[in-house]
Amino acid sequence: MEAIARILAGIMTVPIFVPFVVFILVYFYSGWKRKTKRDAVTMAVNITTFFLITAVIMMYGIIKEEGSASAFWWVLVFFLIIGGGLAFLQIKVRGQMDLPKILRASWRLAFVFFTLAYVVLLFSGVSYFLQHT
């Protein structure tokens, strides 16, 4: 039973530590099911964003001594600032706020931001572990 638990744990950690594998799998599955590339990319970005956020939080917790809890708060602050900024811009330009558009735009900006954060943390993590071994 312990071997099965280790295999399942290993399978579950792959999407967290390699979120772009999830992107590729979801893209091809969505492209096969939905038949349009735009819908496939949208679905892949939406699902991969969750795994990118999780991976960045975990990588930050491994590299820094503060732990993953502080990274979670940084993610929350990121979404509050982005959402507030987009709401302000919508009110300024249109005179009203459209919450679904704000949420969608925040989630897609999070994909870009956390992709960059993932790459930076990947290289800094490799550097960190090379210095400490």
Side-chain angles (χ1 to χ4, degrees), residues 2-18 21-22 51 58:
E2 188 176 319
I4 293 173
R6 287 179 189 228
I7 290 171
L8 288 175
I11 290 171
M12 290 171 51
T13 58
V14 169
I16 292 172
F17 287 107
V18 188
V21 171
V22 174
F51 289 105
M58 293 179 77

Side-chain angles (χ1 to χ4, degrees), residues 55-75:
V56 166
I57 289 173
M58 293 179 77
M59 290 169 72
Y60 183 83
I62 290 170
I63 294 171
K64 302 292 181 183
E65 290 78 29
E66 297 143 6
S68 297
S70 66
F72 173 76
W73 290 111
W74 283 110
V75 169

Side-chain angles (χ1 to χ4, degrees), residues 87-96:
F88 174 76
L89 286 174
Q90 275 193 352
I91 291 171
K92 196 79 166 161
V93 172
R94 294 188 178 142
Q96 63 182 5

